[in-house]
Amino acid sequence: KEHKELEVLEGDPDYAELIKEEKVALNTQLQKIEDTLIKILITDDPNDNKSAIIEVRAGTGGDEAALFVADLFRMYSRYAEKNNLSINVMDMHETGVGGLKSVIFSAEGNKAYGIYKYEGGVHRVQRIPKTESGGRVHTSAATVAVLPEAEKAELDINEATDIKVDTYRASGAGGQHVNKTESAIRLTHIPTGLVVTCQDQASQHKNKAKGMRVLRARIYEQQRQKLDDERSATRRSQVGSGDRSERIRTYNFPDRRVTDHRIGLTVHQLDSILNGDMDIVIDVLITEDQARKLAEIN
């Protein structure tokens, strides 16, 4: 309406300069409104504000892969510290060489899932193992799954009928309770067949509580994946789909290089990234993800 009123007065020289200034102001205001609408259209995933359940497991590479899992867990823990997030270990299986066969933990705090969701996939490391006398570079891998933690109200689970609970004695490192009490828990969700084990705590009750958090996250992710597949291929087009089979990043120690294969990003800041300075990569991933969403809208 205001634009039309200005057009009526455009022929009047007394109003020419005023009209020019008013048009600039209105166009600036319009651009701000458009920018706001675009941000709404490519708004964060509603799950971004949730806590994240993160599972890191050794892949190919034996002991070297287990050491790499420990490196990734340390990297994620330090990144959490830098972002005022808390890490809560839910299950951990150690090896005799200081590595981890697997670790499941939660990252809790502001936008935890939104921060870590880009980490899902296969991470590859290239380095000379300490046990390698010939100085040859070996390639090992670890898989990372990042799940948004589901609230109880979001899932219809009847623990009495849907969950099978088995107890057993814990194995490996874990304190005096190991192999003495049946504190370890195995939870099976009968409708889906999903299984979760937890033995990190000496208390059976605490292990069950932690196991249920992981199980709910897996069930929620399964349902979300099914819904995404039914709707469209949008999930697969986004950066960081979380697909465990997708090789997303390589950490090359000889060149001190980190390459994210999804966006073709290579940075020679390996030490900083492993020390928790992951914004170097994650900020670019977020920008690329938003650009793709905007391109889909256009």
Side-chain angles (χ1 to χ4, degrees), residues 52-57 68-88 100 103-108 112 115-124 142-146 248-249 251 260 262 272-279 281-282 285:
I53 303 293
I54 303 169
E55 306 177 23
V56 188
R57 300 183 183 279
F68 183 43
V69 170
D71 290 338
L72 291 176
F73 176 56
R74 189 180 307 111
M75 177 181 74
Y76 292 142
S77 297
R78 290 178 177 174
Y79 185 57
E81 291 175 9
K82 296 175 186 292
N83 286 274
N84 297 315
L85 303 174
S86 60
I87 295 294
N88 179 22
L100 297 172
V103 58
I104 302 176
F105 60 96
S106 65
E108 302 168 17
I115 290 173
Y116 281 100
K117 67 180 180 181
Y118 298 100
E119 293 302 297
V122 175
H123 294 244
R124 187 176 66 168
T143 59
V144 178
V146 184
I248 65 165
R249 195 175 299 146
Y251 305 73
D260 196 290
R262 294 164 294 181
S272 294
I273 291 172
L274 288 178
N275 196 42
D277 295 327
M278 295 171 58
D279 285 333
V281 177
I282 289 181
L285 285 165

Side-chain angles (χ1 to χ4, degrees), residues 127-167:
R127 61 184 173 188
I128 302 171
K130 295 178 181 179
T131 55
E132 173 58 56
S133 58
R136 293 177 299 175
V137 174
H138 286 224
T139 298
S140 304
T143 59
V144 178
V146 184
L147 312 174
E149 182 165 10
E151 301 294 334
K152 290 183 178 181
E154 294 177 300
L155 294 173
D156 183 18
I157 299 177
N158 187 325
E159 292 192 28
T161 59
D162 294 347
I163 305 296
K164 179 185 176 185
V165 181
D166 296 306
T167 61

